[in-house]
Amino acid sequence: MDISQLLGEKYFSLDAAQVDKSPEELVVTDNDETYYIVSSDAFEQTLKDLNYKIIVGLGE
């Protein structure tokens, strides 16, 4: 599996990622330096097991 397809665009600013995400999406990170906007399904099915953590939850 190509994880980059799940992660999409890379953000180096949490603020920028928060502005771009929709209420149905999450902002996640694995290193507290880069952030990604992903679906909750992608997080639950794959990214959670790869030690990504949610920084901005659904609806935020």
Side-chain angles (χ1 to χ4, degrees):
M1 173 196 323
D2 184 4
I3 191 131
S4 65
Q5 291 179 343
L6 289 176
L7 294 174
E9 185 176 349
K10 183 185 296 188
Y11 292 84
F12 294 101
S13 162
L14 177 57
D15 291 336
Q18 283 181 290
V19 167
D20 285 356
K21 84 171 216 53
S22 72
E24 299 83 29
E25 296 174 313
L26 306 168
V27 176
V28 300
T29 187
D30 65 339
N31 61 11
D32 294 319
E33 293 178 10
T34 53
Y35 304 94
Y36 304 91
I37 298 172
V38 300
S39 70
S40 59
D41 287 343
F43 177 77
E44 290 296 328
Q45 294 174 6
T46 305
L47 299 174
K48 183 164 63 171
D49 293 336
L50 297 174
N51 296 321
Y52 281 80
K53 61 183 177 182
I54 297 173
I55 301 299
V56 181
L58 296 173
E60 293 182 51

